[in-house]
Amino acid sequence: MQYKWIQDLENNIDNFLNSLNRYQYNFNPVTKGATRDGAKLELGLSCYALKIYYITGRWELLPKKEKENWAKHIKSFQSGSKNFPTNSFVDNEYVNAYNKFSLIKKIKDVVKRILNYFNLKSYTLKNEKLEEFVRAESKQAISSLIQVDFPITKFYQSELLNEKAILDYLKKLNWQNAWNAGAQFSSLCVFVSTQVQDSDKKRLLTKVLSDFVSNVSNSETGGFYTHDKPEERELINGAMKVVTGLDWIGVEIPYPEKLIDTCLSSSPNMEGCDIVDIIYVLYKCNMVTNYRSDDIREYFKTLIDLIKNHYFTGQGGFSYHVNKSQTHYYGVKISKGLNTPDLHGTLLLIWGISMISKVIDLPISKWNILKP
């Protein structure tokens, strides 16, 4: 049977998730080789597992009380800490791991400060990175809860959520580093869409985001950047982040045909994130135009073969890299990178398979599509 390994995945995914489950709603990042810090993280890994349950239809099979308890667990990470925006989702174990003293990191941060001071470079400093990472975790928690119909009632509040602040912030981002800039844009889109309660303010901020994207959209490649064209991988991964944001605020992709051309002419990197990013961009573009639909189907068949290289037959999981598990989570080392499946790689590639299954015939066509 063609794609027999996908049927093996469907049969064994429960065993994989159970092998990672430390205790209720908390999961290890890998089956083998977790670091001490990796074995302590909770929030992000719980969201990863919940998303796998949602994509594969297992969420609907859970008892109502178990669903409520899982959502309650994720909501328990909402923090009143003055170090982050009000009602951010903060995993203290993650913050402690990130803030561990490292002489090398300290020296690098000092050098970056000096270069920034003399306007020789524009580096993001360690504390600024932590703010970005907590913002990303908050976005992930909010989107995960909304995905399974458990919207939060303690709304995320940030000084960025006003017209001037959001525009100033977007302008300061390095849009040559399209992936990181796109990720920040995407988070703001989720917050505006789900956390701003005033309808007039929401419309205004949505227009600010939409207008800004128009200014960084490239009509030749379909990507989102300023000045010189980024290298291929950066362009596509950045486009993926921006398109996820546009989906949340209901704004059309500016140049879907050009973006399709860019993706189809590329050779995807073998990392889990790169594979799913190009799948997502093509999937979303294919939803709004029939342009090169046959080519997209053939390309997806090639990508399925790449995904198979990450799969561990009989275990029900994938590794983020080929023959190597994911090693870091937002700047924290979580595993030794052994030849073993990991939670993040499994989530990404299951999500990728679910999108491909809506375009070509696969044995899991009833899987759900995640809204990241």
Side-chain angles (χ1 to χ4, degrees):
M1 183 179 85
Q2 192 178 24
Y3 306 127
K4 183 177 180 180
W5 68 272
I6 296 179
Q7 194 60 57
D8 180 272
L9 165 65
E10 173 69 19
N11 293 337
N12 288 290
I13 186 67
D14 291 316
N15 292 333
F16 173 71
L17 291 170
N18 289 336
S19 73
L20 296 180
N21 192 213
R22 295 200 300 263
Y23 51 95
Q24 209 165 27
Y25 318 123
N26 286 289
F27 296 80
N28 282 318
V30 289
T31 54
K32 292 183 295 185
T35 64
R36 286 187 178 183
D37 290 331
K40 292 179 180 179
L41 300 191
E42 297 187 15
L43 174 60
L45 301 179
S46 189
C47 289
Y48 285 170
L50 182 149
K51 289 177 177 180
I52 293 174
Y53 268 77
Y54 172 78
I55 293 169
T56 61
R58 284 156 172 77
W59 179 262
E60 291 306 315
L61 302 178
L62 292 178
K64 180 181 178 181
K65 191 63 178 178
E66 192 165 347
K67 293 178 184 177
E68 292 173 347
N69 287 340
W70 201 332
K72 184 177 179 181
H73 173 70
I74 292 176
K75 289 181 180 182
S76 72
F77 289 91
Q78 276 198 288
S79 170
S81 170
K82 295 181 180 179
N83 296 324
F84 305 105
T86 302
N87 294 329
S88 293
F89 286 75
V90 182
D91 184 341
N92 289 325
E93 293 290 355
Y94 165 75
V95 173
N96 292 338
Y98 181 85
N99 283 330
K100 279 184 179 178
F101 179 78
S102 164
L103 182 59
I104 294 176
K105 289 182 180 180
K106 181 68 174 178
I107 292 172
K108 285 182 178 179
D109 208 50
V110 170
V111 171
K112 288 177 181 179
R113 287 180 184 276
I114 294 171
L115 294 173
N116 287 352
Y117 180 80
F118 289 104
N119 293 318
L120 299 174
K121 289 283 186 179
S122 180
Y123 285 111
T124 304
L125 302 178
K126 182 181 177 183
N127 286 342
E128 294 170 332
K129 274 289 184 187
L130 180 59
E131 290 175 11
E132 288 184 0
F133 293 155
V134 170
R135 187 183 304 130
E137 280 219 295
S138 298
K139 177 244 185 183
Q140 175 168 240
I142 290 168
S143 62
S144 298
L145 290 168
I146 290 174
Q147 186 75 83
V148 294
D149 298 322
F150 280 95
I152 65 173
T153 54
K154 293 165 57 180
F155 295 107
Y156 175 89
Q157 300 172 33
S158 170
E159 61 185 14
L160 291 178
L161 296 180
N162 70 72
E163 182 180 5
K164 183 178 185 306
I166 207 169
L167 188 57
D168 288 346
Y169 179 73
L170 290 171
K171 287 179 178 178
K172 287 179 182 178
L173 293 174
N174 178 9
W175 284 90
Q176 284 300 110
N177 185 359
W179 182 87
N180 183 66
Q184 306 314 312
F185 172 83
S186 179
S187 292
L188 292 175
C189 288
V190 172
F191 297 143
V192 168
S193 173
T194 67
Q195 305 301 292
V196 176
Q197 300 306 295
D198 182 89
S199 57
D200 290 335
K201 182 178 180 181
K202 181 178 291 190
R203 276 194 295 270
L204 174 62
L205 295 183
T206 298
K207 187 176 187 304
V208 170
L209 291 165
S210 178
D211 290 347
F212 184 85
V213 158
S214 295
N215 292 329
V216 296
S217 300
N218 186 279
S219 60
E220 296 299 317
T221 65
F224 306 91
Y225 52 90
T226 55
H227 307 299
D228 297 332
K229 176 184 174 182
E231 59 97 16
E232 186 178 84
R233 180 189 184 196
E234 184 77 27
L235 190 159
I236 294 172
N237 291 359
M240 181 269 181
K241 291 298 184 181
V242 172
V243 172
T244 63
L246 295 179
D247 188 34
W248 276 99
I249 59 175
V251 173
E252 294 182 357
I253 303 168
Y255 302 104
E257 290 87 0
K258 292 296 185 181
L259 204 43
I260 288 171
D261 285 338
T262 296
C263 290
L264 292 180
S265 66
S266 70
S267 299
N269 190 286
M270 288 295 287
E271 289 189 5
C273 218
D274 295 322
I275 295 173
V276 80
D277 283 358
I278 201 167
I279 293 171
Y280 179 83
V281 172
L282 286 171
Y283 172 76
K284 294 300 290 186
C285 289
N286 191 50
M287 289 179 67
V288 298
T289 175
N290 290 324
Y291 179 70
R292 298 187 69 179
S293 292
D294 289 341
D295 293 332
I296 290 174
R297 281 192 286 271
E298 291 304 311
Y299 194 79
F300 277 176
K301 291 177 183 177
T302 301
L303 292 181
I304 279 288
D305 291 335
L306 293 183
I307 291 173
K308 183 181 178 181
N309 293 326
H310 294 251
Y311 183 60
F312 287 74
T313 302
Q315 295 189 49
F318 298 84
S319 56
Y320 183 88
H321 308 275
V322 175
N323 300 324
K324 179 183 176 182
S325 65
Q326 176 68 290
T327 57
H328 285 76
Y329 177 86
Y330 291 126
V332 171
K333 187 171 182 180
I334 58 173
S335 90
K336 299 174 184 177
L338 303 181
N339 183 17
T340 186
D342 61 82
L343 189 59
H344 188 205
T346 300
L347 166 61
L348 290 174
L349 296 175
I350 279 178
W351 179 31
I353 292 170
S354 73
M355 289 185 283
I356 291 177
S357 74
K358 306 306 179 186
V359 179
I360 65 175
D361 187 27
L362 294 178
I364 43 75
S365 59
K366 293 184 180 180
W367 279 7
N368 299 309
I369 303 298
L370 185 70
K371 186 172 182 177

